[in-house]
């Protein structure tokens, strides 16, 4: 399942220097409806791309949406930070 969305980068209030974007509600519902192997914290494995940077990670349930962690290396490579809007290509993996 591939998804493209634009979202604002925010810093997690529980931990400084941890940055995320939220997957919008509609694609989050589509992701949560698909059967998958259970993973820690209800996470879903994904491949994410922002600009020219692609990485493997997991998205985590956060209310009715999922949160995608944005690695510091991605922020630096793409020249973005807290408060910036970015376009994300997300490939949710089945396994």
């Amino acid at each position: 399942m591939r998804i493209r969305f634009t979202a604002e980068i925010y810093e997690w209030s529980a931990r400084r220097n941890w940055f995320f974007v939220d997957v919008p509600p509609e694609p989050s519902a589509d992701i949560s409806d698909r059967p998958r192997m259970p993973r820690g914290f209800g996470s879903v494995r994904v491949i994410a791309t922002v600009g020219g940077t692609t990485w493997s990670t997991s998205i985590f349930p956060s209310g009715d949406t999922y949160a995608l962690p944005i690695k510091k290396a991605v922020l630096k490579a793409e020249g973005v930070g807290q408060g910036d809007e970015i376009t994300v290509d997300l490939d949710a993996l089945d396994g």
Side-chain angles (χ1 to χ4, degrees), residues 15-95:
R15 279 198 98 154
R16 290 184 46 99
N17 296 316
W18 286 45
F19 296 93
F20 294 83
V21 295
D22 289 332
V23 179
E26 186 174 324
S28 288
D30 292 342
I31 292 168
S32 68
D33 286 345
R34 294 188 60 171
R36 328 192 123 57
M37 295 293 294
R39 295 183 51 80
F41 306 105
S43 66
V44 174
R45 289 183 19 197
V46 299
I47 297 175
T49 301
V50 173
T53 307
T54 299
W55 73 103
S56 296
T57 189
S58 294
I59 54 176
F60 299 90
S62 177
D64 291 335
T65 63
Y66 284 91
L68 169 68
I70 308 293
K71 295 180 178 186
K72 290 178 189 175
V74 174
L75 298 173
K76 184 176 180 179
E78 298 302 321
V80 295
Q82 182 173 343
D84 291 335
E85 280 201 350
I86 57 172
T87 298
V88 178
D89 290 307
L90 197 66
D91 190 5
L93 305 175
D94 289 329

